[in-house]
Amino acid sequence: MMLENIKMSWMNIAHNKMRSFLTILGIVIGVASIIALITIVKGATGEVTEQMSSLGADKVTVQVQGTPLKKGLLESDIGELEKIEHVTGVSPTLSGKTSISYSKNVMEDISIQGKNQVHFRKNEDLVEEGRAINKLDIENKNRVVLIGSGIEKELFWGKNPVGENIQIAGVNFQIIGTLEESDSYSNDSTNETVVMPYTTAMGFLQAGSVSNADIYMDDPKNSDEVTGSVEKAMNQAFNYKDEGYSIMNMGDMISSINDITGMMTLMLGGIASISLVVGGIGIMNMMLVSVTERTAEIGLRKALGAEPKRIQQQFLFESVFLSLVGGLIGLGAGVVIAFVVCSIMGTSFALSASTILLAVGFSAAIGILFGFAPARKASKLHPIDALRSN
């Protein structure tokens, strides 16, 4: 009997093709919107999270504003930070601006950065040619540098600069390596940068302390514990003056971004679901019209012994079929839209099974919810009254 009801339901839908198509159009738009919006947002946010992670989910950054009694981090403070559990290295940073020259060619307003071996160990792709700064360079305060690609092109066009000497503010430094070319438009571009041992930079820039340090950990999962230990060490170093320093935990930032994007995804999915509700209202309207048109048929079936639940089942099947067909068409349309938009934006196409189940399941639920009232109405019709309406 159920198979017969399914067959009759499908025949009634196929008999009114145009009306059925217009009815399911709202479901198609709703499901396509949910699939496309959620997939596009996931792809875009995944790209942002990946870029944030590449900046260092495994590190905590300390920026020192200083106090009247203490301007920055001393080497002893850096040593204390290195002793913290789960810390695998500390990379202090000094920066400044100066001029450099080579063979009578001069470049002004060049960025000077003081780094140590940890920075290059954690960022292995920074060195294009030559070698990175090592521990001996730090201990001996060697006058060695790595230069950016912009400096290499300007001063050493067609020549390998490794092993050559350049003058930085009139002081000779040996070039031990060159830096990988970076995007000229990025904020962290090193193309016009000279990197030297931070201990050398402290003397060269006449800085008695360090204002910035990246603290690397063995596992991003330990970020909260490491951050707490760093805060304790900084409190001791700056006599519990919170305004003397700030701590940035990249892992917390990534977590916050994921929370925000999760809320955005739910919000966009909720907005797109409104069109599903509108489509459900369209299904209810069509089913009510169908019940009115087929009142005599319902009366005849009841007079021949059809049970009310069978009548209700048939109309409910019609409603669910309409909704599911619209859901499947919307699924295909949503996937295509999301793929095209992600390709244009250059983000990853991340279609998840949960998104598909949500959209299709919601459309089926809409069919049942909005089809129940018309189906119930059909099952409650009195046979004599229904036959008289003919």
Side-chain angles (χ1 to χ4, degrees):
M1 185 64 72
M2 183 177 291
L3 187 62
E4 184 181 344
N5 277 339
I6 292 174
K7 184 178 179 181
M8 290 180 65
S9 299
W10 184 253
M11 288 175 62
N12 285 324
I13 292 172
H15 183 69
N16 298 287
K17 294 183 179 64
M18 181 56 68
R19 188 168 68 179
S20 298
F21 171 74
L22 294 175
T23 301
I24 67 174
L25 194 57
I27 301 295
V28 171
I29 294 172
V31 172
S33 299
I34 292 176
I35 294 290
L37 285 174
I38 293 179
T39 303
I40 292 167
V41 169
K42 279 188 175 181
T45 54
E47 193 77 18
V48 172
T49 301
E50 185 177 342
Q51 290 180 5
M52 291 290 291
S53 298
S54 67
L55 295 177
D58 63 339
K59 73 179 180 182
V60 174
T61 300
V62 175
Q63 293 181 329
V64 179
Q65 291 77 42
T67 65
L69 297 177
K70 190 172 185 178
K71 299 298 182 183
L73 295 172
L74 304 176
E75 289 190 54
S76 59
D77 298 322
I78 295 172
E80 290 298 317
L81 292 173
E82 289 175 335
K83 295 176 183 177
I84 293 175
E85 188 177 4
H86 301 301
V87 169
T88 58
V90 179
S91 173
T93 299
L94 286 90
S95 58
K97 293 281 187 178
T98 188
S99 61
I100 63 173
S101 61
Y102 173 78
S103 185
K104 298 182 181 180
N105 294 318
V106 179
M107 293 183 70
E108 301 286 348
D109 201 32
I110 296 299
S111 174
I112 298 288
Q113 289 188 2
K115 299 284 188 179
N116 69 353
Q117 75 280 4
V118 174
H119 174 74
F120 289 95
R121 188 174 73 238
K122 296 295 183 179
N123 301 275
E124 296 178 350
D125 58 343
L126 287 179
V127 180
E128 182 178 19
E129 290 188 47
R131 69 172 178 87
I133 292 170
N134 59 35
K135 191 174 181 180
L136 289 176
D137 294 326
I138 301 297
E139 293 175 350
N140 298 328
K141 301 179 182 179
N142 293 337
R143 292 179 178 175
V144 293
V145 294
L146 291 93
I147 62 173
S149 60
I151 298 173
E152 179 183 2
K153 292 174 182 177
E154 181 72 22
L155 300 182
F156 300 94
W157 183 257
K159 181 179 181 181
N160 188 351
V162 178
E164 298 291 327
N165 290 324
I166 62 171
Q167 289 73 47
I168 303 178
V171 180
N172 279 331
F173 282 79
Q174 184 184 36
I175 300 173
I176 59 172
T178 59
L179 300 172
E180 187 74 28
E181 185 174 4
S182 58
D183 185 354
S184 301
Y185 300 100
S186 65
N187 293 328
D188 57 349
S189 173
T190 58
N191 295 340
E192 307 292 328
T193 299
V194 171
V195 180
M196 64 178 66
Y198 86 93
T199 50
T200 307
M202 288 177 73
F204 185 78
L205 298 173
Q206 297 181 347
S209 59
V210 176
S211 60
N212 183 285
D214 292 329
I215 303 164
Y216 293 91
M217 65 193 86
D218 54 6
D219 193 324
K221 294 179 181 178
N222 299 318
S223 61
D224 290 339
E225 182 181 345
V226 171
T227 300
S229 299
V230 170
E231 186 174 359
K232 183 178 179 181
M234 290 295 96
N235 283 336
Q236 293 175 348
F238 289 93
N239 197 27
Y240 294 88
K241 299 291 185 183
D242 292 343
E243 68 275 9
Y245 67 91
S246 60
I247 299 174
M248 183 176 67
N249 185 340
M250 192 64 70
D252 286 345
M253 291 182 64
I254 294 173
S255 178
S256 297
I257 289 174
N258 288 334
D259 290 341
I260 293 170
T261 53
M263 291 176 62
M264 286 180 59
T265 301
L266 287 175
M267 182 183 69
L268 290 172
I271 293 172
S273 299
I274 294 174
S275 59
L276 272 178
V277 175
V278 174
I281 295 172
I283 288 177
M284 179 184 282
N285 181 62
M286 175 183 169
M287 295 309 299
L288 287 171
V289 171
S290 181
V291 170
T292 302
E293 289 178 346
R294 293 157 59 190
T295 300
E297 175 195 331
I298 296 168
L300 181 60
R301 290 185 62 191
K302 279 196 166 188
L304 294 175
E307 297 178 4
K309 66 177 182 180
R310 298 300 180 187
I311 303 294
Q312 179 176 319
Q313 192 179 71
Q314 180 188 342
F315 281 88
L316 197 57
F317 279 157
E318 288 186 33
S319 175
V320 172
F321 280 155
L322 286 169
S323 190
L324 280 178
V325 169
L328 293 174
I329 296 173
L331 172 61
V335 169
V336 172
I337 293 170
F339 181 78
V340 171
V341 173
C342 287
S343 299
I344 293 173
M345 294 174 59
T347 58
S348 59
F349 176 69
L351 179 64
S352 64
S354 59
T355 304
I356 296 174
L357 290 174
L358 174 66
V360 177
F362 199 179
S363 66
I366 287 292
I368 296 172
L369 182 64
F370 286 89
F372 182 79
R376 185 72 172 170
K377 179 182 177 181
S379 69
K380 291 294 183 180
L381 287 175
H382 194 279
I384 302 302
D385 295 335
L387 288 170
R388 282 177 182 172
S389 66
N390 190 9

